[in-house]
Amino acid sequence: AILSSETELVTVSLSRVDLADSDDDMISSIPAGVKVVVNTSGARNAKEAVTIAKIAKAAGFDWIKLEIHPDRRHLLPDPIETFYAAKEILNIGCVVMPYINADAVLCKRLEDIGVQCVMPLGSLIGSNQGLKTDYMLRIIIEQSNLPVIIDAGIGSPADAAAAIELGADAVLVNTAVAA
C-alpha cells in the first residue's frame, strides 16, 4: 500500500514498536526512501512527549509528529502542552510536526518557534466526519508561511480533495484507509 500510494512519510508510534525485539519488523517493513515520522501518540503531557522524542532521536529518527491528548476518549490535542513540548523537541534537534486544534493563533505561535509544519484537525481523530473545521482551516492556510497538513477526520477521497481545494499542502489519512 505504501509503494502503491507513493507516500513519502509514514508515522509510527513508538509505543507499538519494541526497539529491543529484533523480531519486531514494523520499521523494516517500511520501504527504503520513505521517511519514518515517530508519533508521540499516547503522550498525555509535554514531559511524556519529550521523552518519546528523545528515545526516537537516540534510535535514529529525528522527525516527530507531536501529538498530546490527555483525554483518551476524544483525543483532542492539548494546545498548551503541545507548545511547550514543541519548544523542547526543537531544542534537541528534531523536525517537529505538531497535531493541533484548528487554531490560527496557535499555528502562528508554533511557526514563530520553528516547527516544520502545522497539522490542524479537520474533525475528531478517527471520526471520518470530514472537514468540520473548514472555516478555521481557511484562516490557518491563508496566514501560514509553513506547510499545512490537515490531520484527523478525513473519511473519504472527497474529504481529502476538499482539504487540498482549501489550499492545504497535504492530508494525513489513517482511519479512512485502515477501517
Side-chain angles (χ1 to χ4, degrees):
I2 293 170
L3 291 173
S4 294
S5 68
E6 299 180 13
T7 192
E8 297 177 28
L9 302 172
V10 172
T11 60
V12 175
S13 174
L14 273 188
S15 64
R16 298 181 189 195
V17 177
D18 184 354
L19 296 173
D21 180 359
S22 61
D23 292 331
D24 187 338
D25 65 350
M26 181 186 293
I27 299 293
S28 65
S29 66
I30 298 171
V34 175
K35 186 72 171 172
V36 173
V37 181
V38 173
N39 189 331
T40 67
S41 178
R44 294 178 307 240
N45 54 48
K47 181 179 178 183
E48 290 178 7
V50 170
T51 298
I52 293 168
K54 287 178 178 178
I55 293 168
K57 179 90 169 162
F61 304 107
D62 60 355
W63 282 42
I64 306 296
K65 179 184 179 203
L66 177 56
E67 203 172 311
I68 300 174
H69 30 72
D71 175 359
R72 294 183 191 261
R73 179 172 178 223
H74 299 291
L75 301 177
L76 290 168
D78 182 319
I80 295 166
E81 293 292 310
T82 298
F83 182 80
Y84 291 137
K87 286 175 76 170
E88 286 193 52
I89 295 169
L90 286 165
N91 284 335
I92 64 170
C94 291
V95 170
V96 178
M97 304 169 71
Y99 165 66
I100 55 174
N101 293 303
D103 180 334
V105 174
L106 178 58
C107 286
K108 285 312 266 182
R109 298 286 177 129
L110 288 164
E111 181 178 318
D112 289 345
I113 64 169
V115 300
Q116 184 69 28
C117 65
V118 289
M119 301 178 75
L121 56 78
S123 59
L124 295 177
I125 289 176
S127 70
N128 289 339
Q129 293 180 345
L131 303 180
K132 298 296 184 189
T133 60
D134 58 332
Y135 180 76
M136 293 305 296
L137 294 172
R138 288 179 211 278
I139 295 170
I140 291 166
I141 291 165
E142 175 186 304
Q143 293 181 349
S144 184
N145 294 310
L146 299 174
V148 176
I149 301 170
I150 307 302
D151 185 358
I154 302 297
S156 70
D159 295 335
I164 299 302
E165 288 172 2
L166 279 177
D169 296 283
V171 295
L172 188 136
V173 179
N174 183 12
T175 305
V177 173

